Amino acid sequence: ITLDSFFPKKTKVQNLNIDAQGFEPQVIRGAERILKENKGRLHVRFGFDEELLLLAENIPEDFLAYMKSLGYKEVLRDGGDIVMH
């Protein structure tokens, strides 16, 4: 199940906190509609553990580039967490 299929269209979302043990990119791709519909309002916080991302066969730089392609910018890096808005 994806977040896009769980939440109805035009659902207003302000915060999204994702900790998926290296599978954050897959969760984000399943929330692309929510990210686009809520751009400017939504803060996305996710665990960013490069080792776990690589173990899950995800390239950390590609993940951040994908978020940036959707118009999100990194606003905070705190330990292993990143917040984008």
Side-chain angles (χ1 to χ4, degrees):
I1 187 165
T2 66
L3 291 173
D4 281 347
S5 68
F6 183 79
F7 289 100
K9 289 183 179 179
K10 309 239 187 222
T11 298
K12 292 185 176 158
V13 181
Q14 292 180 324
N15 293 293
L16 187 57
N17 188 10
I18 302 166
D19 185 357
Q21 301 298 304
F23 290 93
E24 288 78 7
Q26 287 85 340
V27 174
I28 289 294
R29 285 186 180 87
E32 186 172 330
R33 177 182 49 81
I34 290 171
L35 291 166
K36 288 178 178 178
E37 288 179 354
N38 291 280
K39 192 174 133 215
R41 169 185 325 135
L42 178 62
H43 286 82
V44 183
R45 179 182 203 107
F46 50 88
F48 191 79
D49 183 321
E50 288 191 32
E51 186 175 320
L52 287 175
L53 286 163
L54 291 169
L55 285 171
E57 300 182 2
N58 291 306
I59 299 169
E61 295 80 17
D62 289 352
F63 174 42
L64 293 176
Y66 176 72
M67 288 296 293
K68 289 176 184 175
S69 77
L70 295 175
Y72 285 81
K73 296 177 182 156
E74 186 176 325
V75 294
L76 176 69
R77 191 177 286 234
D78 181 22
D81 288 342
I82 292 179
V83 177
M84 298 187 91
H85 176 70

